[in-house]
Amino acid sequence: MTGGIGPARSREQFLQGEAVQADVRSLILNSWQRCRSLGLPLGGFDLPYRQFDPEDRLVRAAGPVLDRLRSRFQDSPMNIALADENGTVLQRRFGDESWARTLPPIQQVPGFVFAEQFAGTNGIGLALAERRLIQVYGAEHFAERGLSNGCSAIPVRDPLSGRIEGILCLAFPRGSGHPVLDAVLRRATQAIERGLLAQSSARERGLLRAYQDAAGASRAREGGGHTIGVDAFVQGLHRGDQMIIKERAAELLSHGQRAAIEVSLSDGRRVTLMSRPMTSAAGVEGIAVEAMFPDHATRPPLTLPSRLSPPLSGAVPGQGTAAKMTAARTPAARTSAGRAASGRTPDAKTDAETAARTPDAQTPATRAATPATGHVTDGLAGLVLVGEPEVGKYALAARRRMELLSEASARIGTTLDVRRTAQELAETAVPRLADFVTIDLPDAVLRGDEPLDPRYDLRRTVVHGIHGDCPFYPVGKRIDFHPTTPQLRCVSAGQAILEPDLKTAAGWLIQDPEHTARLLSHVRSLIAVPLVARGTVLGIVSFYRALDPAPFGDDDRSLAQELATRAALSMDNARRYTREHTMVLALQHSLLPHGVPGQNAVEVAHRYLPAESRVGGDWYDVIPLPGARVGLVVGDVVGHGMHSAATMGRLRTAARSFAELDFAPDEVLTHLDNLVLRLDREESSEGSSDGFGIIGATCLYVVYDPTSQRCAMARAGHPPPALVRPDGAVSFPDLPAGPPLGLGGLPFETAEIEVPEGSRLVLYTDGLIEDRQRGIDVALGRLRQVLAYPERTPEDTCQAVLDDVAPAHPCDDIAVLVARTHALAPHRIATWELPADPAVVREIRAAAGRQLAEWGREELSFVTELLVSELVTNALRHASGPIRVRLLHDRTLICEVSDTSSTAPHLRRAGITDEDGRGLFLVAQLALAWGTRHTQDGKVIWAECALDAA
């Protein structure tokens, strides 16, 4: 804007179809686009003129305020205008009357309509469209006649209903504006709204006087019963009874007809609430609601309005239930009931309304004295409410909205799923606020990421309504909204946008003319609200109301905004959880084995299934061991989340390291137990306040030897494995349980069992068998049945276990490892028992060469004979007792020398003058790998050679 004339250059560019500069405000640009889509000319067109009521309640409330504004701006070129809710100017005042005479008639005389669809972008029209305080300067006007003007306009609302009653606008020549004008407008608007409230209060007081006069005359004439004041009546009741009576009275008042209902109180008494038409001396029509306590009365047959919801308690037997059942029979009735819950009462006439027009209901005294039907002979009467039905509707709607917000707090955000939270928002809003709801979210939000630009990455996520035949874009479709649509305008404005009448909503209509034309046969008004949480726009929710006599209003817009805000926070929590869950799951997968290492001992298949809501610390591993053996391990870190996944990675790495050192299973668990204790102490010493202390873990470690077909197992608080023998027999070996890792100080035990070739070992974590819906014994029985099929491959077994045994909705991670055992053929094993005599070295070298020739591996003779010679010589010099030599022809050639000594050799660098110390150095250079493992009666020194080493 330059010199107060607005973005003139940008306006010219827009009119020529070019891209506008960045100095045009989004609400102005949106208005220009709507005006162009309506085909409005730039100037020379006449505004419509409408007749109006010069004694309108808005005019009467605003008159003194307009006079004060004229005095404030006396002798200044200020045009003060008051328009109604349709944009029709009702009153004008001028600070300088001589200046006013230079204006064109449409800016002097009341009655012309300045709504945007007729007058283009202007103060009154834009304030109605945006429903808030706005300013329009110079070239921001669409019509050329406004280019020399500036204006500020603000809506005037009814204090009771919140509905926009009109617009107050201050217009002035360009360059004459001042920032203080906005503050003046706000104060003036508040004064007008106070005037509207005073008028309502005066009408209420008139009705109360009419009721009192009529009731007094009735008591004097009939002499039966007596009336107590409303305060005394309320004070004598329990607080809960007071609330029930007031709620039911407000419902009767809002329906504006003659009726009666019964309500049961907490002490067993019944009170009859009767609503009766009233007319004040000034001619104001209203309703009085009385509460009657009959002492000796014939219970009257009650007249219940057809659209009055059933009593909360104490309804006449059968009547409230019948009304409820009748209302539930048809979709139309169900819709009406939902609308009534949010204050949306249809205007259809009922029999009770007809009864209220009968002659006996025309006299105030008669109305006050006679029940709706029947006759009460004696009792107490107390006035509960008196007022106009429309005011009662607003009060009832406000209470219903509070109930809806309370219900939304309980219904929205029950899960940490973005889609489900969006669906809950829609289900909460229909039908109590809207008839249809659509929600569009960016793909990034659905993935758990933060959206970069939510305006251009939207996908239809939810479509929900009172019936399913409304032609909205389907779920899953990518949505590209036009910039002038309410959906993108609400994102730009950061607040809800209301379109009371979609037939005149140009920005919405041009989105997809063919599609919107079909929608117009189903919907009437729209509220578009951005889903904003923590400053981030997560998507857009659109509330639609069907072809109903009551379109959306500003109170509905406020309610929709509040619902969307609450849902957005829940959706953002779900999005953040989804992101964290994805990160933890990625970490978990990165720390688990990506493949099975090469080995011939077992055929392996594995599965990992994360919990539905959170990722834990389950892991599995397959570890090749010396001597053609293999180690199988499964474990479970207590807890869930990033910390548990990271801890799992540390324990898996440690378990593999301890296993590769060839410790026995119980020793591996002992080392892991010490590691968990140490990690726990380290975190405790750091004083971490995030609650990430390691509680513990469970683990099962199995070592299978294909040369002996035996398994050594140990477990630390973990479920035992399942053993499926070749004939299909399933058993769960009775292993010593052992304490969970992290307790410390308690021993672990190793057990050995025989495992025939072709058996299957099934290792799993507790998430497979633990479920709130069934006992562990039931789960183990089901697992036994599923495994009793020996012809299944490990892959098929894994899948069958997950399909038939795993819980439908696992609350903990599940890891399954299935290993089918193989045996190393006897002809691939060569063993020699040697005496402790140095002369046997030459003999064992020759025997090893012959064995290699028998296996067809003569090319390995030199390396193997040298390895055998060095290892046997080392055993003869440093050990005692018999020596055993074994050659294994597997994926590699394995040479093992065992003795009865527990002293393990170690590699060292020999000096130039040393006569020994070079044997193990040669072994390390010639072998693919070498090492030592301890046995119950000594140790084994082994070395492996690649079969292609020659």
Side-chain angles (χ1 to χ4, degrees):
M1 187 183 311
T2 304
I5 64 172
R9 178 176 176 81
S10 296
R11 181 176 182 274
E12 294 301 322
Q13 291 175 332
F14 174 81
L15 296 177
Q16 294 173 9
E18 300 176 7
V20 299
Q21 297 177 354
D23 60 347
V24 181
R25 293 181 291 159
S26 60
L27 81 163
I28 297 296
L29 181 58
N30 291 334
S31 179
W32 287 354
Q33 292 170 332
R34 293 194 298 270
C35 295
R36 185 167 60 183
S37 66
L38 290 170
L40 296 181
L42 297 180
F45 60 96
D46 296 329
L47 297 182
Y49 181 86
R50 292 176 180 170
Q51 297 294 330
F52 61 93
D53 181 7
E55 296 299 322
D56 181 87
R57 61 189 294 261
L58 177 61
V59 174
R60 286 186 281 112
V65 179
L66 297 180
D67 290 339
R68 290 196 297 270
L69 287 175
R70 178 172 56 187
S71 299
R72 178 186 180 97
F73 296 110
Q74 187 173 6
D75 298 328
S76 66
M78 185 66 67
N79 190 341
I80 307 163
L82 176 71
D84 65 11
E85 71 277 11
N86 298 314
T88 303
V89 176
L90 306 178
Q91 291 284 296
R92 284 195 183 274
R93 301 283 194 278
F94 300 96
D96 186 344
E97 294 291 345
S98 62
W99 168 79
R101 288 191 290 271
T102 65
L103 299 175
I106 62 172
Q107 295 180 2
Q108 291 188 52
V109 182
F112 289 98
V113 183
F114 281 82
E116 188 181 65
Q117 62 265 35
F118 302 115
T121 307
N122 70 94
I124 294 175
L126 194 56
L128 281 173
E130 295 293 328
R131 311 181 78 83
R132 59 189 173 97
L133 173 66
I134 59 91
Q135 303 84 23
V136 181
Y137 301 101
E140 290 184 330
H141 289 83
F142 186 78
E144 292 182 351
R145 63 168 175 269
L147 300 184
S148 61
N149 299 329
C151 61
S152 294
I154 187 172
V156 179
R157 301 178 186 274
D158 187 305
L160 294 175
S161 67
R163 189 173 69 91
I164 291 180
E165 293 289 333
I167 300 293
L168 180 61
C169 180
L170 299 180
F172 42 84
R174 69 186 188 192
S176 298
H178 194 280
V180 77
L181 290 180
D182 291 349
V184 171
L185 266 178
R186 287 192 174 94
R187 288 195 296 270
T189 301
Q190 293 169 0
I192 296 174
E193 291 172 349
R194 287 195 297 269
L196 291 173
L197 182 61
Q199 291 184 26
S200 299
S201 301
R203 295 160 69 97
E204 296 286 338
R205 288 194 298 270
L207 287 172
L208 180 59
R209 282 193 297 269
Y211 169 81
Q212 292 170 338
D213 294 343
S218 176
R219 287 196 301 274
R221 182 174 59 253
E222 298 186 3
H226 57 283
T227 303
I228 61 174
V230 64
D231 292 339
F233 173 75
V234 171
Q235 289 175 0
L237 298 178
H238 184 271
R239 181 174 180 83
D241 293 338
Q242 297 176 26
M243 295 180 64
I244 291 176
I245 287 178
K246 289 181 178 180
E247 288 175 3
R248 304 303 286 160
E251 292 179 6
L252 284 172
L253 176 63
S254 68
H255 287 276
Q257 58 193 25
R258 189 175 188 180
I261 59 174
E262 277 191 353
V263 178
S264 291
L265 303 182
S266 59
D267 58 4
R269 291 184 297 167
R270 289 197 173 192
V271 59
T272 301
L273 297 181
M274 293 175 291
S275 61
R276 301 171 180 179
M278 300 290 302
T279 303
S280 70
V284 177
E285 296 183 353
I287 295 291
V289 181
E290 285 183 317
M292 302 292 295
F293 282 96
D295 293 334
H296 305 284
T298 301
R299 178 179 299 168
L302 303 181
T303 302
L304 185 70
S306 62
R307 280 181 170 80
L308 183 63
S309 56
L312 299 179
S313 60
V316 174
Q319 187 160 355
T321 303
K324 183 176 181 180
M325 292 176 63
T326 302
R329 288 191 184 109
T330 64
R334 288 195 298 270
T335 304
S336 297
R339 291 168 183 161
S342 63
R344 297 166 56 193
T345 307
D347 293 337
K349 306 302 180 183
T350 64
D351 293 339
E353 288 177 290
T354 303
R357 299 192 193 99
T358 56
D360 69 323
Q362 303 309 309
T363 305
T366 305
R367 296 192 194 111
T370 307
T373 54
H375 179 68
V376 177
T377 60
D378 190 16
L380 296 175
L383 177 63
V384 180
L385 284 176
V386 63
E388 297 177 79
E390 287 301 316
V391 176
K393 289 180 182 179
Y394 298 143
L396 182 62
R399 181 169 61 82
R400 296 302 191 194
R401 292 185 182 95
M402 292 299 296
E403 293 174 353
L404 180 58
L405 290 176
S406 176
E407 180 181 340
S409 299
R411 291 188 60 182
I412 300 176
T414 59
T415 66
L416 288 172
D417 181 85
V418 175
R419 285 183 173 85
R420 181 56 198 160
T421 302
Q423 184 68 32
E424 289 168 347
L425 169 60
E427 292 172 353
T428 301
V430 175
R432 297 178 64 178
L433 172 62
D435 295 313
F436 302 95
V437 173
T438 64
I439 300 178
D440 306 304
L441 302 176
D443 289 332
V445 171
L446 297 174
R447 294 192 305 267
D449 299 329
E450 189 164 318
L452 297 178
D453 191 342
R455 297 174 298 173
Y456 306 109
D457 184 28
L458 292 170
R459 192 170 300 278
R460 180 59 48 87
T461 306
V462 172
V463 176
H464 184 69
I466 55 176
H467 51 77
D469 58 351
C470 196
F472 290 107
Y473 293 129
V475 171
K477 179 178 176 60
R478 184 180 177 87
I479 308 296
D480 294 316
F481 286 114
H482 192 274
T484 62
T485 57
Q487 284 81 1
L488 286 197
R489 287 166 53 205
C490 78
V491 173
S492 300
Q495 60 183 3
I497 296 296
L498 168 61
E499 291 287 358
D501 188 357
L502 288 175
K503 292 181 179 179
T504 62
W508 182 78
L509 292 171
I510 65 174
Q511 165 69 23
D512 183 347
E514 182 179 349
H515 177 69
T516 53
R518 293 196 304 269
L519 281 178
L520 283 176
S521 62
H522 296 80
V523 296
R524 174 182 181 180
S525 56
L526 161 69
I527 301 175
V529 191
L531 292 164
V532 183
R534 301 178 179 93
T536 300
V537 179
L538 303 178
I540 302 169
V541 54
S542 301
F543 300 91
Y544 290 90
R545 188 162 285 180
L547 305 178
D548 183 288
F552 284 126
D554 282 281
D555 49 354
D556 297 309
R557 181 179 66 166
S558 299
L559 178 59
Q561 181 82 59
E562 181 66 22
L563 285 176
T565 299
R566 298 189 181 196
L569 288 174
S570 297
M571 292 172 66
D572 191 49
N573 290 336
R575 178 190 66 83
R576 290 167 178 256
Y577 168 79
T578 300
R579 180 180 61 183
E580 180 182 346
H581 185 271
T582 303
M583 292 172 58
V584 174
L585 191 59
L587 174 63
Q588 177 87 335
H589 280 294
S590 69
L591 296 175
L592 290 173
H594 291 186
V596 178
Q599 45 80 38
N600 292 334
V602 292
E603 178 187 352
V604 176
H606 49 80
R607 293 288 190 278
Y608 171 75
L609 180 65
E612 280 194 344
S613 60
R614 48 189 181 171
V615 178
D618 290 15
W619 89 90
Y620 58 87
D621 209 346
V622 179
I623 308 169
L625 298 176
R629 298 169 303 143
V630 66
L632 307 174
V633 58
V634 292
D636 182 4
V637 175
V638 176
H640 298 83
M642 185 76 72
H643 184 260
S644 295
T647 302
M648 176 274 293
R650 300 167 79 175
L651 292 183
R652 176 182 171 243
T653 302
R656 172 174 281 270
S657 299
F658 296 143
E660 290 177 344
L661 290 174
D662 225 337
F663 291 132
D666 59 322
E667 294 177 341
V668 170
L669 296 183
T670 299
H671 287 295
L672 288 176
D673 185 45
N674 293 333
L675 174 63
V676 172
L677 284 172
R678 185 168 62 254
L679 294 176
D680 202 7
R681 285 194 299 269
E682 289 175 357
E683 294 211 357
S684 298
S685 64
E686 292 174 359
S688 176
S689 60
D690 52 12
F692 282 158
I694 300 175
I695 299 176
T698 65
C699 186
L700 169 65
Y701 181 46
V702 177
V703 176
Y704 172 67
D705 188 344
T707 64
S708 63
Q709 301 178 41
R710 295 186 64 83
C711 271
M713 309 179 184
R715 63 185 179 123
H718 202 87
L723 174 61
V724 186
R725 298 185 180 275
D727 59 0
V730 181
S731 63
F732 298 92
D734 186 16
L735 302 182
L741 302 177
L743 295 183
L746 298 176
F748 301 95
E749 298 182 47
T750 297
E752 289 195 10
I753 61 173
E754 183 179 353
V755 181
E757 183 178 10
S759 299
R760 283 173 294 164
L761 285 166
V762 181
L763 288 70
Y764 52 90
T765 55
D766 56 4
L768 179 68
I769 57 175
E770 291 184 356
D771 186 12
R772 297 176 181 177
Q773 307 299 324
R774 65 184 180 188
I776 292 180
D777 292 340
V778 175
L780 289 176
R782 182 60 185 159
L783 179 61
R784 186 188 298 272
Q785 295 175 4
V786 171
L787 295 179
Y789 294 88
E791 70 280 1
R792 282 178 175 164
T793 64
E795 287 288 343
D796 293 339
T797 301
C798 270
Q799 194 59 49
V801 166
L802 290 185
D803 291 342
D804 298 337
V805 183
H809 302 283
C811 58
D812 195 6
D813 293 16
I814 298 174
V816 178
L817 183 64
V818 178
R820 172 179 285 171
T821 62
H822 298 292
L824 189 61
H827 69 274
R828 288 178 172 267
I829 305 173
T831 306
W832 297 272
E833 298 287 342
L834 305 177
D837 184 356
V840 301
V841 175
R842 184 176 58 184
E843 297 176 5
I844 192 61
R845 287 169 60 112
R850 291 192 296 271
Q851 183 63 55
L852 290 175
E854 184 178 338
W855 286 340
R857 295 293 181 178
E858 294 90 343
E859 71 277 5
L860 300 177
S861 295
F862 175 77
V863 174
T864 304
E865 290 176 6
L866 184 56
L867 291 176
V868 169
S869 174
E870 291 297 332
L871 294 178
V872 171
T873 300
N874 188 72
L876 290 172
R877 295 187 59 181
H878 301 287
S880 60
I883 299 173
R884 184 169 180 263
V885 177
R886 187 170 72 161
L887 291 181
L888 305 177
H889 185 196
D890 193 38
R891 299 171 71 93
T892 60
L893 181 65
I894 305 169
C895 176
E896 297 180 343
V897 177
S898 58
D899 56 52
T900 58
S901 173
S902 60
T903 303
H906 60 279
L907 185 65
R908 67 183 179 87
R909 182 178 297 276
I912 298 177
T913 59
D914 291 342
E915 296 183 359
D916 56 8
R918 295 178 176 84
L920 287 180
F921 180 77
L922 291 174
V923 171
Q925 295 298 312
L926 295 174
L928 183 65
W930 75 279
T932 304
R933 71 173 180 272
H934 293 275
T935 61
Q936 293 182 351
D937 53 2
K939 67 177 182 297
V940 175
I941 305 176
W942 57 270
E944 290 186 11
C945 288
L947 296 181
D948 56 354

